[in-house]
Amino acid sequence: MSVLPDMGLPNTMSEVEYDALPEGVARRIEVVHGYVIVSESPTPQHQQVARRLANTFEAARPKEPCTRVQMETDVVLWHVPKYTFRRPDVVVYRCKEDRNAKPESADVLLMVEVSSPSTEREDLVDKMAQYAAAGIPSYLVVRMSADGGIIDAREFHLDAATYQYRVETLMEHGVVLTYPFKVAVPFEELVE
């Protein structure tokens, strides 16, 4: 078993091993097909955009049916054959009986990634394929420029027959969604 030198972690990890990690270590990684992925620290501007999106979704969500909006919450995509979870910037999911339980992919209505130039390929290729394979119905990618502005936002919906995403909307001035509920926020409000 090889070890990630900067953190003293193994390259691969099971769900049980991940759950046993101290919270400070667990918050810095994701596990994809059993492999440990070290997450880069987001910039303050990235966090602001994600927080304001989460606040917008929270304000717009209906009381019934019960949904939750969370930031940087582990979402279990699948347990087997190799444990995989991702920590999207924002997730909207159906309420669970246990409020502390990690949402599973079947609970998720929308995953959101705020994408920087350094994460764009992962967000638009790797994560997109994983979220589609897990059956997540809607995926939003907000693309940011190196200077912290927003380039555009892309809404993808899952094609249930192919388990691939298709572009639903390319947004150039603000985030406007009708699923999982109506949301409209200009880019200026996210970055100011």
Side-chain angles (χ1 to χ4, degrees):
M1 166 173 57
S2 59
V3 174
L4 294 172
D6 61 332
M7 297 180 70
L9 293 174
N11 285 330
T12 60
M13 187 173 291
S14 70
E15 183 173 4
V16 171
E17 291 167 324
Y18 174 76
D19 288 341
L21 290 174
E23 186 175 338
V25 174
R27 300 304 295 158
R28 293 184 55 207
I29 67 170
E30 293 176 302
V31 179
V32 178
H33 304 295
Y35 290 94
V36 175
I37 308 292
V38 178
S39 302
E40 79 177 45
S41 293
T43 66
Q45 183 70 356
H46 171 283
Q47 290 301 84
Q48 175 181 301
V49 170
R51 180 177 43 81
R52 288 184 176 176
L53 275 170
N55 290 346
T56 300
F57 293 143
E58 184 69 32
R61 75 182 176 90
K63 297 208 184 288
E64 294 294 330
C66 184
T67 56
R68 301 250 183 266
V69 178
Q70 298 292 337
M71 291 181 60
E72 296 187 10
T73 296
D74 296 355
V75 175
V76 178
L77 300 183
W78 49 82
H79 295 272
V80 292
K82 295 285 186 179
Y83 181 55
T84 296
F85 80 88
R86 286 293 195 165
R87 191 175 299 117
D89 293 312
V90 180
V91 59
V92 178
Y93 61 97
R94 291 178 196 88
C95 293
K96 296 179 73 68
E97 188 78 25
D98 177 356
R99 294 177 71 107
N100 288 318
K102 294 176 187 174
E104 304 267 338
S105 59
D107 304 317
V108 174
L109 303 171
L110 172 68
M111 295 277 248
V112 180
E113 295 291 353
V114 178
S115 186
S116 66
S118 65
T119 64
E120 186 172 313
R121 183 188 183 289
E122 181 179 14
D123 294 335
L124 288 171
V125 177
D126 301 341
K127 289 181 181 180
M128 180 181 284
Q130 292 161 10
Y131 295 168
I136 293 168
S138 190
Y139 180 42
L140 176 68
V141 178
V142 178
R143 295 175 55 234
M144 294 185 67
S145 62
D147 66 3
I150 296 178
I151 299 168
D152 62 29
R154 298 171 183 202
E155 178 187 16
F156 301 91
H157 285 193
L158 186 66
D159 181 325
T162 65
Y163 272 81
Q164 293 183 347
Y165 285 120
R166 59 178 166 69
V167 176
E168 184 71 18
T169 311
L170 175 63
M171 296 163 256
E172 297 179 331
H173 304 290
V175 173
V176 179
L177 302 176
T178 58
Y179 180 88
F181 34 78
K182 290 182 180 181
V183 171
V185 59
F187 289 158
E188 295 80 28
E189 290 185 22
L190 300 175
V191 298
E192 68 181 16

